[in-house]
């Protein structure tokens, strides 16, 4: 098992008049990021969720951040004045926003029935079903309960009763994942598979269990440093033809993570998403807060390049394939109640983009039984929103870290424009 030493996750970022506030936060030991979004023109603050810092050596990190204050893009666009830290009302994008941004409104209403989307996370969220019900009820989505057979929560062995120990940080991650799947594919069934810890071995077993239980779409919002063991993890946990497995690209800026580097998965980068007066009604750029925070990307050191990936600057697996919203300043609305004040929070990180893309695959239909669905977007590049602005750091090969027309590392081929890019 790898030994994972993630970057220190307590960060601050100076933007204009936020200097004094941010410096005070740093001196106080909070390390909250401060971001002045181009659309909102106001400060938004956030911090990595607790699971973004592994509790034990060898565990992987979740890729989520929770907004702690300011006015988000969602609030600014609607003239909403309460601060984003106010849990009483949503302060992030909801289902209608995300469906609109990605051309999914009609598909979300009519597709997805009979499909099962699995979420793989570590530890137990005891309030998962209740919090999911709050989110879906508020937004007028159909109920999804264990009693109806729509929602199911199991351990990595498939047990519904012998579950892992509960964890506050991973519970926030679980709420984010469940809500994003619900927002995009409200007619699909949801399977939550909880690993007993955040090691690759246990999370990998949870992936295998999700597939065993029939899920054709499996979202993974975690990652860590690459290692020479990754190719063996590929064959043990991620080689599942006929299953769309999505993995978040990471939240620490330019650099490759695993399992996003697996040649068998769809690696998902992150964008900043804002309303626009253009024909689409939305605009996106690469998510970057600072040199150490933003979407991950890069050329794998270990994983072989899949045959369907044809960029020439990287001889091995390149991250990412596609992307979706991840910037906390333009973040998504989530309902959570475990170890926090029960209510509405805004989240970002590529932990948001991975379940969004898994749900888009579900709207597109069951993959071919022998297919690796990661190749689908490469066959339909014109059916994606090409993201052409922004970067996530510095690199010697420009497209590894800088958006450009066509393929680039931070956003892949782009973001969903309907479901066509996610079919065989």
């Amino acid at each position: 098992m790898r030994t994972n030493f993630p970057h220190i996750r307590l960060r601050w970022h100076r933007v204009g008049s936020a200097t004094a506030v941010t410096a005070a936060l740093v001196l106080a030991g909070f390390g909250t990021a401060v971001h002045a979004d181009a659309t909102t023109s106001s400060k938004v603050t956030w911090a990595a969720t607790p699971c973004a810092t592994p509790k034990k050596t060898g565990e992987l990190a979740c890729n989520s951040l929770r907004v702690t204050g300011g006015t988000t893009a969602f609030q600014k666009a609607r003239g909403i004045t309460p601060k984003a830290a106010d849990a009483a009302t949503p302060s992030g994008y909801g289902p209608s926003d995300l469906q609109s941004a990605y051309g999914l409104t009609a598909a979300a209403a009519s597709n997805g029935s009979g499909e099962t989307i699995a979420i793989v996370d570590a530890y137990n969220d005891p309030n998962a079903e209740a919090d999911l019900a709050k989110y879906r009820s508020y937004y007028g989505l159909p109920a999804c309960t264990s009693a109806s057979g729509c929602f199911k929560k199991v351990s990595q062995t498939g047990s519904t009763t012998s579950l892992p120990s509960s964890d506050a940080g991973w519970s926030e991650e679980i709420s984010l994942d469940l809500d994003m799947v619900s927002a995009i594919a409200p007619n699909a069934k949801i399977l939550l598979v909880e690993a007993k810890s955040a090691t690759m071995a246990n999370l990998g077993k949870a992936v295998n269990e999700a597939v065993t239980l029939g899920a054709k779409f499996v979202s993974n919002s975690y990652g860590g440093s690459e290692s020479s063991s990754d190719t063996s993890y590929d064959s043990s946990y991620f080689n599942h033809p006929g299953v769309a497995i999505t993995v978040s690209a990471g939240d620490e800026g330019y650099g490759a993570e695993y399992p996003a580097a697996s040649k068998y998965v769809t690696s998902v980068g992150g964008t900043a998403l804002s309303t626009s007066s253009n024909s689409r009604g939305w605009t996106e750029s690469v998510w970057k807060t600072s040199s150490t925070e933003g979407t991950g990307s890069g050329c794998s050191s270990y994983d072989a390049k899949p045959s369907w990936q044809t960029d020439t600057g990287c001889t091995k697996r390149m991250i990412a394939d596609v992307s979706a919203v991840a910037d906390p300043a333009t973040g998504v609305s989530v309902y959570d109640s475990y170890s926090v004040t029960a209510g509405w929070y805004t989240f970002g990180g590529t932990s948001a983009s991975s379940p969004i893309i898994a749900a888009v695959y579900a709207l597109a239909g069951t993959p071919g039984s022998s297919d690796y669905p990661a190749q689908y977007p490469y066959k339909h590049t014109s059916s994606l929103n090409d993201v052409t602005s922004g970067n996530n750091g510095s690199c010697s090969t420009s497209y590894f870290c800088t958006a450009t027309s066509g393929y680039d590392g931070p956003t892949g081929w782009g973001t969903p424009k309907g479901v066509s890019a996610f079919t065989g």
Side-chain angles (χ1 to χ4, degrees):
M1 177 54 54
R2 87 179 71 242
T3 300
N4 182 35
F5 297 99
H7 299 296
I8 295 172
R9 307 282 300 187
L10 297 177
R11 311 185 187 95
W12 66 284
H13 182 60
R14 186 175 69 193
V15 183
S17 63
T19 305
V21 175
T22 307
L25 286 167
V26 172
L27 291 172
F30 290 105
T32 301
V34 179
H35 180 86
D37 180 75
T39 300
T40 63
S41 298
S42 60
K43 295 181 291 294
V44 182
T45 60
W46 62 84
T49 53
C51 56
T53 303
K55 295 187 294 185
K56 302 174 183 177
T57 298
E59 291 200 340
L60 304 186
C62 67
N63 287 311
S64 57
L65 306 101
R66 180 159 62 85
V67 169
T68 55
T71 306
T72 64
F74 168 84
Q75 293 174 299
K76 185 70 174 181
R78 288 161 179 76
I80 300 173
T81 55
K83 294 181 179 180
D86 177 8
T89 56
S91 55
Y93 293 133
S96 63
D97 302 298
L98 297 172
Q99 291 170 21
S100 169
Y102 296 126
L104 300 169
T105 304
S110 59
N111 298 3
S113 297
E115 304 289 8
T116 297
I117 306 169
I119 295 295
V120 170
D121 279 313
Y123 300 103
N124 178 44
D125 177 1
N127 296 357
E129 184 172 357
D131 288 350
L132 176 65
K134 290 280 190 179
Y135 180 89
R136 295 177 72 106
S137 175
Y138 180 89
Y139 287 111
L141 306 178
C144 186
T145 66
S146 54
S148 70
C150 175
F151 176 76
K152 187 175 185 179
K153 181 173 75 170
V154 300
S155 71
Q156 69 188 53
T157 64
S159 175
T160 58
T161 55
S162 181
L163 298 170
S165 58
S166 297
D167 181 88
W170 280 96
S171 291
E172 291 184 34
E173 174 65 48
I174 288 169
S175 292
L176 167 61
D177 294 343
L178 295 177
D179 290 356
M180 290 307 95
V181 165
S182 297
I184 301 299
N187 296 320
K189 295 180 179 180
I190 303 175
L191 171 66
L192 171 60
V193 186
E194 298 177 330
K196 68 179 181 181
S197 77
T199 63
M200 188 67 261
N202 287 322
L203 288 162
K205 290 174 182 175
V207 172
N208 288 344
E209 184 63 25
V211 176
T212 297
L213 293 175
K216 298 299 182 183
F217 316 92
V218 183
S219 177
N220 304 269
S221 293
Y222 54 83
S225 304
E226 291 191 288
S227 82
S228 57
S229 300
D230 291 348
T231 53
S232 66
Y233 299 147
D234 279 351
S235 57
S236 296
Y237 308 128
F238 296 106
N239 186 5
H240 294 289
V243 180
I245 301 176
T246 63
V247 180
S248 55
D251 294 351
E252 298 185 350
Y254 174 65
E257 282 193 3
Y258 190 86
S262 171
K263 63 182 179 180
Y264 297 121
V265 310
T266 300
S267 59
V268 186
T271 68
L273 172 71
S274 300
T275 55
S276 172
S277 59
N278 62 19
S279 59
R280 178 187 170 195
W282 300 85
T283 185
E284 289 177 276
S285 60
V286 175
W287 166 45
K288 177 188 177 184
T289 306
S290 67
S291 61
T292 57
E293 185 175 274
T295 184
S297 71
C299 183
S300 174
S301 297
Y302 301 99
D303 250 78
K305 198 172 198 66
S307 60
W308 35 263
Q309 194 172 58
T310 58
D311 63 293
T312 57
C314 171
T315 59
K316 293 189 181 295
R317 170 66 156 122
M318 187 69 194
I319 299 168
D321 299 313
V322 292
S323 51
V325 61
D327 188 341
T330 68
V332 297
S333 185
V334 173
Y335 190 91
D336 188 56
S337 69
Y338 185 63
S339 294
V340 293
T341 299
W344 296 97
Y345 297 92
T346 295
F347 278 83
T350 52
S351 279
S353 52
S354 177
I356 287 173
I357 296 299
V360 177
Y361 272 112
L363 294 181
T366 307
S369 60
S370 61
D371 290 356
Y372 290 99
Q375 67 185 300
Y376 291 171
Y378 289 76
K379 298 179 179 180
H380 309 285
T381 57
S382 63
S383 296
L384 292 158
N385 299 303
D386 191 7
V387 181
T388 59
S389 64
N391 69 80
N392 63 347
S394 300
C395 57
S396 57
T397 304
S398 179
Y399 79 89
F400 284 16
C401 65
T402 304
T404 186
S405 179
Y407 181 83
D408 58 72
T411 65
W413 283 105
T415 63
K417 186 166 60 176
V419 300
S420 297
F422 300 88
T423 59

